[in-house]
Amino acid sequence: MNICMIGTGYVGLVTGACFANLGNKVICVDIDKTKIDSLNSGICPIYEPGLEELVARSRKAKRLFFTTDLKDAVKKSQVVFIAVGTPPKEDGEADLTYIEDVSRQIAQSLTSYKLIIEKSTVPVETGNWIEHTIKMNNKRKVKFDVASNPEFLKEGSAIDDFMHPDRIVIGAESKRAKDILLKLYKPLKATTIVTDIKSAELIKHASNSFLATKISFINAISNICERAGADILEVAKGVGLDKRIGKDFLYAGAGFGGFCLPKDLDAFIRISEKLGYSLEILKIVRSINEDQKKILLKKIENNLWILKGKTVSILGLSFKPETDDIRFAPSIDIIKALLAEGVKIKAFDPKAMEKAKGKLTNVDFCSDPYSAVKNADCVVIMTEWKIFKNLDWKRVKKLVKQPLIVDGRNIFEDPKKIINIGFKYIAMGRKI
Ligand code: UDX
């Protein structure tokens, strides 16, 4: 099929490249000319395992193109995906300005039937608004359909998630729209749910909120473990073996970050209020998540006594491993809070240093983990990158000023190994 993907962020770029890989012809559109120019010269604006190679392969096969010309891209396509950003407003509500702009531009470019699909995470009823906006600006009265096809891919494993999804959700209300989407996804041979547009929109909100709830729940339990003298890893293992619960998303730590879970949670809270039902449960989920960062800070403070003038080494800046994304990363809040207390920060991350440099000042960004821990009074682990687990911790012990580790991600299954080297080891809800 000829596909137009509007928005080349994490979702749009990965989805566009994957559809091209499945044999479709995909034109990716973005208003950011610098981004399009760099993609056209083979440079990927984000780090996502396998993405750069996939983009290069599909461009070479002449199945993937990048442009700023939305009108032309829409004209050449039968299927138009909207994957633009829906950033949070001050009150947490999703800002749908880009969705409206794009819908208007699509309408003005219509010359033949198109299926317009919302891929961005949007509040329920956005599908109706897209349809309304297109109708208003569709001067030539060209036929079109609107559908919802929420994306569930995770950063760091996005390509694999696209190729092997747990399910595909199609919200469509005409046979033509349903058939096109079913045909498009047929090669993936995945479990597919075909439903109405509003239900599809809500599936996305409910899924992300449930995942956030699971994390905050286990974080709350980890705080109980700490007080009761139990170990959260053992408890989570025992709980997760119940198939009805499942072992995933039961890792306690500094809390969830990234551009999806926190933002979608806030947006869902606002949507529910607008609909006249207050999702109190999600407000608690949000506040537990905020508290986890305060708990981590307190652990650093309790073990350093006076923060002012101390050196803290931060290992990990991205909101999770295998990504360079630092949006809403707990590390950023922790660093800012420590800087405000007069702490000297040294930091290292395998992929997220460039992005962090744009967001943080007064941080000594180090070229490798060993220089980052040199002379540190405390080493704080903020992201569970594999290389941190596999560091030569004996060497680290020789480099630091004080042998103190505050582990915000519980990276060591057996804390004894690290304690026997001579470290004081503080984790989140562990029995030490
Ligand atoms: C999420 C959803 O998983 C995905 O389906 C949706 O499309 C986009 O939002 P993503 O933001 O890439 O994906 O990250 P995810 O793997 O969900 O992790 C989110 C955050 O939760 C990370 O900060 C991670 O460290 C944290 N997390 C995850 C935990 O603290 N504990 C866990 O057990 C799992």
Side-chain angles (χ1 to χ4, degrees):
M1 283 188 205
N2 289 326
I3 299 172
C4 167
M5 183 68 63
I6 305 176
T8 55
Y10 281 89
V11 170
L13 186 55
V14 172
T15 313
C18 287
F19 274 133
N21 191 43
L22 289 180
N24 301 287
K25 193 168 167 185
V26 183
I27 310 176
C28 290
V29 183
D30 207 290
I31 43 166
D32 184 343
K33 192 175 176 308
T34 322
K35 203 187 222 182
I36 292 299
D37 286 348
S38 82
L39 281 162
N40 273 327
S41 56
I43 300 161
C44 231
I46 51 169
Y47 171 72
E48 179 63 40
L51 185 60
E52 201 154 88
E53 297 82 334
L54 194 68
V55 168
R57 212 165 54 231
S58 302
R59 280 184 66 227
K60 204 169 160 213
K62 303 237 173 301
R63 282 199 299 263
L64 185 61
F65 303 87
F66 298 100
T67 181
T68 51
D69 189 345
L70 185 144
K71 213 170 181 171
D72 185 56
V74 170
K75 268 190 196 146
K76 288 178 176 154
S77 310
Q78 182 191 12
V79 175
V80 180
F81 280 97
I82 303 179
V84 295
T86 52
K89 292 197 275 194
E90 284 270 304
D91 60 1
E93 196 171 309
D95 182 350
L96 302 178
T97 317
Y98 300 124
I99 301 254
E100 192 190 43
D101 276 358
V102 160
S103 305
R104 202 179 303 116
Q105 289 183 59
I106 294 172
Q108 289 159 356
S109 320
L110 289 181
T111 48
S112 58
Y113 172 86
K114 314 278 170 206
L115 172 60
I116 296 127
I117 305 162
E118 49 170 35
K119 196 74 170 148
S120 314
T121 300
V122 288
V124 62
E125 286 172 4
T126 303
N128 284 354
W129 280 109
I130 294 176
E131 190 169 348
H132 172 77
T133 309
I134 297 177
K135 258 189 197 148
M136 293 229 318
N137 293 278
N138 181 8
K139 300 251 158 62
R140 288 178 283 257
K141 304 277 175 249
V142 179
K143 280 206 165 131
F144 73 94
D145 277 309
V146 171
S148 163
N149 171 220
E151 190 50 70
F152 299 99
L153 46 84
K154 304 183 289 298
E155 289 179 27
S157 58
I159 293 171
D160 196 52
D161 290 343
F162 179 94
M163 301 308 284
H164 307 102
D166 288 346
R167 78 307 207 181
I168 288 162
V169 175
I170 293 174
E173 279 152 26
S174 80
K175 185 172 177 318
R176 193 172 187 177
K178 281 176 204 164
D179 288 348
I180 292 174
L181 272 160
L182 286 172
K183 190 173 163 200
L184 193 59
Y185 280 109
K186 201 172 173 212
L188 296 183
K189 297 187 181 82
T191 306
T192 305
I193 290 183
V194 182
T195 180
D196 59 281
I197 295 177
K198 287 181 188 169
S199 302
E201 289 168 338
L202 267 176
I203 288 172
K204 175 69 196 229
H205 276 294
S207 302
N208 271 4
S209 304
F210 192 80
L211 292 172
T213 305
K214 247 185 136 177
I215 301 170
S216 277
F217 179 82
I218 207 66
N219 279 331
I221 299 298
S222 79
N223 295 324
I224 296 294
C225 283
E226 220 162 83
R227 286 161 178 79
D231 192 299
I232 190 60
L233 289 198
E234 296 296 313
V235 173
K237 198 198 279 171
V239 170
L241 279 170
D242 185 326
K243 286 202 187 79
R244 294 168 302 174
I245 299 172
K247 64 176 173 39
D248 294 335
F249 276 69
L250 286 182
Y251 296 97
F256 56 81
F259 204 53
C260 288
L261 294 195
K263 165 176 88 71
D264 291 357
L265 192 67
D266 283 351
F268 202 23
I269 291 171
R270 288 286 297 146
I271 295 163
S272 67
E273 274 164 2
K274 276 188 158 179
L275 291 172
Y277 181 89
S278 183
L279 279 167
E280 294 299 312
I281 183 171
L282 296 188
K283 292 184 186 165
I284 303 285
V285 166
R286 181 171 60 187
S287 74
I288 292 173
N289 199 52
E290 286 311 304
D291 284 349
Q292 285 308 104
K293 285 178 269 192
K294 292 182 196 140
I295 290 168
L296 184 75
L297 271 172
K298 201 85 208 136
K299 283 175 192 279
I300 301 171
E301 198 178 352
N302 285 349
N303 286 282
L304 283 179
W305 188 33
I306 306 296
L307 286 174
K308 199 168 179 227
K310 297 274 165 58
T311 299
V312 170
S313 161
I314 302 284
L315 295 184
L317 297 163
S318 56
F319 81 98
K320 67 173 190 179
E322 297 304 328
T323 178
D324 60 350
D325 198 348
I326 53 157
R327 291 175 298 175
F328 296 99
S331 65
I332 305 297
D333 287 343
I334 297 287
I335 290 173
K336 283 186 176 166
L338 290 171
L339 285 172
E341 292 290 333
V343 171
K344 187 175 176 292
I345 301 287
K346 297 177 86 181
F348 172 78
D349 187 283
K351 293 285 176 195
M353 303 270 271
E354 282 315 307
K355 293 205 166 139
K357 279 178 193 167
K359 184 119 190 154
L360 295 163
T361 46
N362 294 326
V363 169
D364 178 6
F365 291 101
C366 303
S367 55
D368 65 278
Y370 297 104
S371 13
V373 299
K374 201 162 176 222
N375 291 326
D377 291 288
C378 177
V379 175
V380 180
I381 297 160
M382 288 305 302
T383 319
E384 65 276 33
W385 285 98
K386 254 196 203 123
I387 66 153
F388 298 148
K389 196 173 169 178
N390 298 331
L391 283 184
D392 178 351
W393 286 96
K394 284 187 183 149
R395 183 174 163 202
V396 173
K397 165 85 182 359
K398 285 186 196 132
L399 289 168
V400 294
K401 196 191 278 173
Q402 292 191 53
L404 170 65
I405 298 171
V406 176
D407 183 355
R409 294 292 174 189
N410 292 342
I411 67 168
F412 302 108
E413 225 163 283
D414 181 6
K416 273 196 208 87
K417 275 190 194 158
I418 210 84
I419 293 164
N420 289 344
I421 295 173
F423 282 101
K424 181 169 187 192
Y425 178 71
I426 314 289
M428 307 291 280
R430 301 293 314 273
K431 184 174 183 174
I432 294 163

